[in-house]
Amino acid sequence: MSDITEILIRAERLHQLEKAEIVALLANRVDDAELFGVADRIRQRYVGDEVHLRGLIEFSNICKQNCLYCGLRRDNQDIKRYRLEPEAVIELAAKAKSYGYKTVVLQSGEDVYYTVERLQTVIYGIKDLGLALTLSLGEKTREEYRAYREAGADRYLLRIETTDRQVYDQLHPGMSLANRLRCLRDLRDLGYEVGTGIMVGLPGQSQESLAEDILFFKAIDADMIGLGPFIPNPATPLRAAAGGTFELALKVMAITRLLLPDSNIPATTAMETLNKQGRTIALQSGANVVMPNVTEGEYRQLYMLYPGKICINDTPAHCRQCIGGKIAAINRTIAQHAGFRSGKNLGQL
Ligand code: 5AD
Ligand code: SF4
Ligand code: FES
């Protein structure tokens, strides 16, 4: 039996891995199908064949931060900025509901126009629709997170991006890993379902640091873990960077499923950007969530984190139908409930 097979057998039973074992899986170039098969089996056993759809609303591309990799960074003068007013966001959420989504995800840059008061308006409006609500608004104070939670937000996504301090500091001028960790801790304390994640293939990121990232997801027992390849954006200082690969991002995702068997793991848009079948392959390698875009019109194009982003010329109705087809084609079903990690339902919140 190969070393890789042995590692996988143990991981499937115990959902634990040493750092060196994770590095061995990442470095391995021969038996990846075996890894993906084990991840798929664990996904099936713990979270079943249902795929949870989360309707993604990208409501503002204005950001005060300057992350080196991101097209929304404040120094990027090459994009037209937009923000939707609270009423328009609620309207999109209502449409998302009409397409059958049970959860909406509100995502934006760190846009100071969106004060607690304006967000409360949006959160109340969306909770009145009976939807589960995930926020992805970046770093805020504990008091702000508390206010959103009290207004009714259920979940919060904040990728750690990398746990490697040196890489983190290089990519995030004026930000700190310590504050990001503080945010994740506050979110957990406040009773959110907490999502995090990373980009794979960042400049300076090693296999060891990817292994540390995966162990971090396990250590904080993340409820959701979103991962994608880093895709260099020509409108950013990292335009000439090598970028990540679909294959490595998929491996990091599959190993994450080994360690967090009942977490919610999306098949991400960035994966499909690098591989036409990326989300389908991810759903068969450990993922159980998809986040179709429900943003409308030109805003889709303007929310340009990285180039080549899929669906920028498609409508929400088209994406809903498209993703439904992909899920049916692999004999999976679309969940008809909110899809909390531990099967909690909205009534309990
Ligand atoms: N390539 C891939 N993902 C990116 N993100 C931002 N910029 C890029 C890029 N160039 C991701 C970050 C962020 C999420 C919203 O988008 O991980 O958390
Ligand atoms: Fe702003 Fe987020 Fe982009 Fe950083 S990754 S520049 S915080 S939108
Ligand atoms: Fe948007 Fe397929 S999900 S076109």
Side-chain angles (χ1 to χ4, degrees), residues 106-144:
L106 295 186
Q107 192 173 79
S108 67
E110 292 193 16
D111 180 356
V112 295
Y113 175 81
Y114 264 91
T115 55
V116 163
E117 207 185 346
R118 290 194 173 102
L119 281 166
Q120 279 167 333
T121 304
V122 175
I123 296 168
Y124 292 145
I126 292 177
K127 292 308 293 181
D128 280 349
L129 295 166
L131 295 168
L133 175 59
T134 306
L135 300 178
S136 179
L137 317 173
E139 296 183 8
K140 306 285 172 181
T141 64
R142 184 180 177 98
E143 288 60 46
E144 289 170 308

Side-chain angles (χ1 to χ4, degrees), residues 3-267:
D3 291 355
I4 294 296
T5 305
E6 273 180 40
I7 293 172
L8 291 173
I9 288 173
R10 240 191 357 271
E12 184 164 11
R13 209 174 51 223
L14 304 172
H15 309 299
Q16 305 259 3
L17 286 173
E18 304 288 325
K19 182 174 172 187
E21 295 174 315
I22 298 177
V23 172
L25 291 178
L26 290 173
N28 177 50
R29 310 198 62 88
V30 284
D31 304 325
D32 285 348
E34 207 183 340
L35 165 64
F36 299 139
V38 174
D40 194 43
R41 223 160 41 226
I42 296 175
R43 183 274 308 157
Q44 213 277 333
R45 192 176 307 142
Y46 282 82
V47 294
D49 284 335
E50 288 187 335
V51 176
H52 301 289
L53 298 184
R54 323 292 198 194
L56 177 66
I57 300 174
E58 301 159 327
F59 68 92
S60 165
N61 71 352
I62 297 170
C63 188
K64 68 175 187 187
Q65 302 289 11
N66 219 10
C67 307
L68 261 57
Y69 44 80
C70 177
L72 309 191
R73 64 197 306 271
R74 70 166 180 264
D75 283 358
N76 182 11
Q77 317 274 324
D78 286 349
I79 56 165
K80 186 169 139 196
R81 303 284 174 169
Y82 74 91
R83 78 165 58 93
L84 300 179
E85 291 298 329
E87 295 66 34
V89 180
I90 298 167
E91 232 169 83
L92 283 184
K95 287 195 189 166
K97 182 179 178 180
S98 77
Y99 298 126
Y101 295 109
K102 310 295 178 196
T103 294
V104 292
V105 180
L106 295 186
Q107 192 173 79
S108 67
E110 292 193 16
D111 180 356
V112 295
Y113 175 81
Y114 264 91
T115 55
V116 163
E117 207 185 346
R118 290 194 173 102
L119 281 166
Q120 279 167 333
T121 304
V122 175
I123 296 168
Y124 292 145
I126 292 177
K127 292 308 293 181
D128 280 349
L129 295 166
L131 295 168
L133 175 59
T134 306
L135 300 178
S136 179
L137 317 173
E139 296 183 8
K140 306 285 172 181
T141 64
R142 184 180 177 98
E143 288 60 46
E144 289 170 308
Y145 288 143
R146 186 197 306 281
Y148 313 152
R149 177 85 185 120
E150 282 172 359
D154 302 294
R155 315 186 183 116
Y156 204 101
L157 299 177
L158 184 70
R159 289 186 178 179
I160 194 79
E161 314 293 1
T162 173
T163 59
D164 187 318
R165 183 177 311 277
Q166 217 177 329
V167 177
Y168 189 95
D169 288 347
Q170 244 154 34
L171 297 178
H172 300 102
M175 298 168 78
S176 76
L177 194 55
N179 191 52
R180 208 139 180 108
L181 292 167
R182 189 276 305 162
C183 289
L184 289 168
R185 251 192 324 270
D186 283 343
L187 291 164
R188 173 66 84 203
D189 285 353
L190 292 162
Y192 285 94
E193 284 209 344
V194 178
T196 190
I198 58 162
M199 282 175 285
V200 176
L202 292 168
Q205 192 182 42
S206 61
Q207 284 177 346
E208 283 72 22
S209 82
L210 289 170
E212 295 282 4
D213 295 340
I214 296 169
L215 289 170
F216 169 77
F217 305 149
K218 175 87 172 168
I220 68 164
D221 191 26
D223 300 308
M224 309 169 276
I225 302 116
L227 316 145
F230 159 57
I231 303 170
N233 186 329
T236 68
L238 297 184
R239 61 184 68 81
T245 63
F246 171 70
E247 289 73 20
L248 188 59
L250 193 69
K251 286 177 74 164
V252 172
M253 189 201 79
I255 298 167
T256 299
R257 172 61 74 195
L258 306 186
L259 295 193
L260 292 115
D262 66 348
S263 60
N264 282 321
I265 300 182

